[in-house]
Amino acid sequence: MNEIDPAHRFSAEAVRKFDSPADGDAPGGMNDVARQVASQYRRDTMSPIMVSGVLRMVEFGLLFLSGLGVYFHYIGFYLAWQYPLTIAASSFLAVVLLDVTDCYQVVSLMRPIANFGRVLLVWAGTFALMALTAFVMKMSEDYSRLLFGTWFVVGFVLLFGLRLVMSKLIRRWARDGRMERRAVIVGGGKAAEILIRSVEKQPYNDIRICGIFDDRGDKRSPPIVAGYPKLGTISELIEFARIARIDMLIVSLPLTAESRVLQLLKKLWVLPVDIRLSAHSNALQFRPRAYSYIGSVPMLDIFDKPINDWDSVAKRAFDIVFSLIGIVVFSPVMLATAIAIKLDSKGPVLFHQKRHGFNNEIIEVYKFRSMYTDKADPTAKQTVTKNDPRVTRIGRFIRKTSIDELPQFFNALLGSLSLVGPRPHAIAAQSHNLLYNEVVDGYFARHKVKPGVTGWAQINGWRGEMDTNEKIRMRTEYDLYYIENWSLLFDLRILFLTPIRLLNTENAY
């Protein structure tokens, strides 16, 4: 059978345009049992990928510093260039070989004794390659055999000792719920039971199944499957996943039930989670590369959580660096604006507004006050229009030039906003007496990533008053395009285009 790319089979665009009836994207009210279950999960969790990634850096540093320590012990503080360079290259090679041989997988880290031989073989192989390279380059006589023999012993003791410590930490974190991937099974019955049993058989599994959600009644979908309760319907799952910080949704339906799968995805794709379709009991068989795996259980990848793991670290570093630069560069403008606001009208300089943030959570956004204090509308229920009498004289200028948004550099620095992302809308923002999520199908998918100070929609002209349903739809489409095509270079492009595009003040008032 030809290999099929699951990501193309169920694209975000296909799901958004699917015409079968759905209950809407807005969260449904959870029952009390589901709410109690959701509230028990910790929020300070660590990704297994992040833990293994940090361990790579720690082990490189440990090997490099131990090598330098042995060098200083035998040679002294006279630095011959070839020694530090060889030590650094060997340390890097060892980490690469450990990675290639799966020594950074959680299963391996939890079983250091069972992987003793593999780690020793990798470390010995590193020295063998180092010796072979020195021989080929006719440099072997320039190196001290005693020095590198000592480093071999010291480096391995430190390497294996660290892994013994890490195995205890990982087991403790897994037991305490700090390092786990939380999963929900979508769909019940016999297929769900087979899937759960298969996942539970995997040794040292980091998947925690939090419950089952299914639209079908108890006759077709039992209230308890393999010891796990059915916590509600698919619509109720939206709110549950956000409160419990679910990492993965596993759809336990046959691939042939494409219409039913699309109906589910139409509701679920708005969540910032990985969505997998269980291929465990599917009659259709693809090539092994078409699957991802939980242990040995095959899954088809439908959606991936955007900007996850190391991408999120890179984006956070990007936000901190450029927020600090922005605060320094625009501090004279912010100071002058604060003085002008104070002189123009009574009231505070800053305006705090509650908006929807990442994962639909409520955040507080800072702005320079642009309205008279007694006429302010914190909920933004009434959109600001041209020549709006609620806006002050200074307010008109700072709104047109977007200077009122400059305090959001501090939001980005503190982490409630990102510098680039979908602009956060006020909680009660409306168009023609309809909330934005009632106007746009899939509106809440904007919240799959952290909202931004500027965004792809804004630099393409979709800023200012959202006075028509079409404007809201277009802004949402541009936001979703950004989420699905994110990269640091894309962020950089948007950031540097923002001042240029802000010169167009046609829709800002």
Side-chain angles (χ1 to χ4, degrees):
M1 176 175 288
N2 293 331
E3 185 173 355
I4 297 175
D5 182 359
H8 289 100
R9 186 180 181 87
F10 297 111
S11 67
E13 185 178 3
V15 171
R16 290 203 296 274
K17 294 180 178 179
F18 184 63
D19 292 328
S20 290
D23 294 339
D25 295 325
M30 282 193 298
N31 60 68
D32 292 338
V33 175
R35 190 175 299 279
Q36 185 178 357
V37 172
S39 62
Q40 74 182 3
Y41 292 107
R42 301 178 59 130
R43 287 178 173 255
D44 56 336
T45 56
M46 299 178 292
S47 162
I49 294 175
M50 293 290 289
V51 170
S52 63
V54 171
L55 182 61
R56 288 171 173 87
M57 293 187 288
V58 171
E59 288 191 337
F60 170 78
L62 197 65
L63 293 174
F64 178 67
L65 291 175
S66 65
L68 283 185
V70 173
Y71 170 80
F72 290 140
H73 176 73
Y74 282 107
I75 309 296
F77 288 90
Y78 168 75
L79 280 176
W81 67 268
Q82 70 268 26
Y83 275 97
L85 185 62
T86 301
I87 291 169
S90 300
S91 301
F92 179 76
L93 177 61
V95 171
V96 170
L97 292 176
L98 287 168
D99 190 20
V100 169
T101 55
D102 293 332
C103 289
Y104 289 109
Q105 297 294 322
V106 172
V107 173
S108 298
L109 294 176
M110 294 179 75
R111 304 174 62 199
I113 303 298
N115 288 276
F116 178 91
R118 190 190 305 181
V119 175
L120 179 60
L121 184 62
V122 165
W123 189 227
T126 301
F127 274 73
L129 288 172
M130 179 175 62
L132 180 61
T133 303
F135 175 77
V136 170
M137 297 180 68
K138 299 181 179 180
M139 296 177 60
S140 55
E141 293 183 358
D142 297 336
Y143 292 99
S144 166
R145 289 168 177 77
L146 178 61
L147 187 155
F148 281 101
T150 305
W151 184 37
F152 178 84
V153 175
V154 171
F156 181 75
V157 169
L158 291 173
L159 198 64
F160 191 71
L162 176 62
R163 285 172 172 262
L164 287 174
V165 173
M166 282 301 301
S167 76
K168 293 185 180 296
L169 287 175
I170 289 172
R171 288 173 187 274
R172 182 189 302 171
W173 292 335
R175 186 174 61 249
D176 296 343
R178 291 193 64 189
M179 197 182 86
E180 61 186 7
R181 286 185 292 168
R182 296 173 187 163
V184 163
I185 306 297
V186 181
K190 191 64 178 178
E193 182 179 358
I194 294 171
L195 170 64
I196 291 170
R197 300 294 188 203
S198 300
V199 170
E200 288 182 335
K201 285 180 183 177
Q202 307 307 313
Y204 306 103
N205 192 2
D206 65 333
I207 295 289
R208 173 180 287 197
I209 297 174
C210 301
I212 299 167
F213 286 80
D214 197 345
D215 283 338
R216 296 174 298 179
D218 289 350
K219 289 184 178 180
R220 296 182 61 196
S221 177
I224 296 179
V225 178
Y228 292 92
K230 186 172 70 174
L231 297 176
T233 65
I234 306 304
S235 295
E236 292 172 314
L237 168 57
I238 305 289
E239 187 177 355
F240 179 89
R242 285 179 171 141
I243 295 175
R245 299 291 183 97
I246 296 300
D247 299 298
M248 182 185 299
L249 303 180
I250 304 177
V251 180
S252 177
L253 291 173
L255 190 61
T256 49
E258 185 167 311
S259 178
R260 175 62 177 146
V261 171
L262 280 168
Q263 285 181 9
L264 292 176
L265 295 180
K266 187 173 174 63
K267 300 177 183 180
L268 300 176
W269 75 283
V270 300
L271 290 169
V273 299
D274 295 329
I275 300 181
R276 303 289 182 255
L277 179 62
S278 170
H280 184 67
S281 58
N282 276 317
L284 289 172
Q285 296 295 318
F286 302 115
R287 295 177 183 174
R289 285 184 303 162
Y291 300 110
S292 61
Y293 292 86
I294 297 175
S296 61
V297 180
M299 302 281 172
L300 288 170
D301 297 350
I302 306 300
F303 288 113
D304 289 323
K305 181 179 179 180
I307 316 181
N308 197 22
D309 295 322
W310 287 106
D311 284 343
S312 66
V313 174
K315 188 166 175 63
R316 182 69 187 126
F318 179 94
D319 289 342
I320 292 172
V321 170
F322 283 95
S323 294
L324 289 171
I325 293 172
I327 290 169
V328 171
V329 169
F330 290 105
S331 56
V333 177
M334 288 192 278
L335 181 60
T337 302
I339 295 172
I341 291 171
K342 209 61 177 166
L343 293 174
D344 183 50
S345 60
K346 294 180 180 179
V349 169
L350 291 179
F351 176 67
H352 296 208
Q353 188 176 57
K354 294 188 184 300
R355 299 190 179 188
H356 281 123
F358 170 71
N359 202 26
N360 221 38
E361 294 175 350
I362 306 302
I363 60 172
E364 194 169 65
V365 172
Y366 310 138
K367 296 181 69 174
F368 281 124
R369 180 175 59 84
S370 59
M371 291 185 178
Y372 293 103
T373 305
D374 58 341
K375 297 178 181 178
D377 179 18
T379 64
K381 190 172 183 178
Q382 182 181 346
T383 306
V384 176
T385 58
K386 193 171 185 177
N387 299 319
D388 198 312
R390 298 174 297 165
V391 180
T392 65
R393 289 175 301 169
I394 293 296
R396 295 188 200 285
F397 174 74
I398 64 175
R399 289 179 73 92
K400 267 191 172 294
T401 55
S402 292
I403 290 174
D404 64 325
E405 310 281 1
L406 290 180
Q408 288 169 28
F409 277 119
F410 292 97
N411 279 112
L413 183 63
L414 296 173
S416 56
L417 290 182
S418 180
L419 273 182
V420 182
R423 287 290 295 146
H425 294 153
I427 297 170
Q430 294 186 356
S431 171
H432 301 98
N433 296 320
L434 290 174
L435 294 172
Y436 285 176
N437 66 282
E438 296 173 318
V439 174
V440 181
D441 190 26
Y443 171 82
F444 283 118
R446 300 174 74 253
H447 305 146
K448 292 168 74 171
V449 300
K450 197 179 292 185
V453 178
T454 184
W456 183 235
Q458 281 62 44
I459 69 166
N460 280 280
W462 302 103
R463 61 186 284 251
E465 183 185 5
M466 292 288 102
D467 55 347
T468 68
N469 292 352
E470 181 62 19
K471 287 182 179 180
I472 300 164
R473 291 192 185 96
M474 290 305 298
R475 178 181 284 190
T476 302
E477 282 298 316
Y478 274 89
D479 289 338
L480 297 181
Y481 176 87
Y482 166 79
I483 292 171
E484 292 164 12
N485 295 276
W486 174 86
S487 70
L488 279 181
L489 286 177
F490 196 12
D491 272 5
L492 203 60
R493 176 187 173 191
I494 293 170
L495 198 61
F496 282 106
L497 281 176
T498 296
I500 300 171
R501 301 298 169 85
L502 288 181
L503 294 175
N504 178 10
T505 61
E506 181 182 352
N507 296 322
Y509 32 81

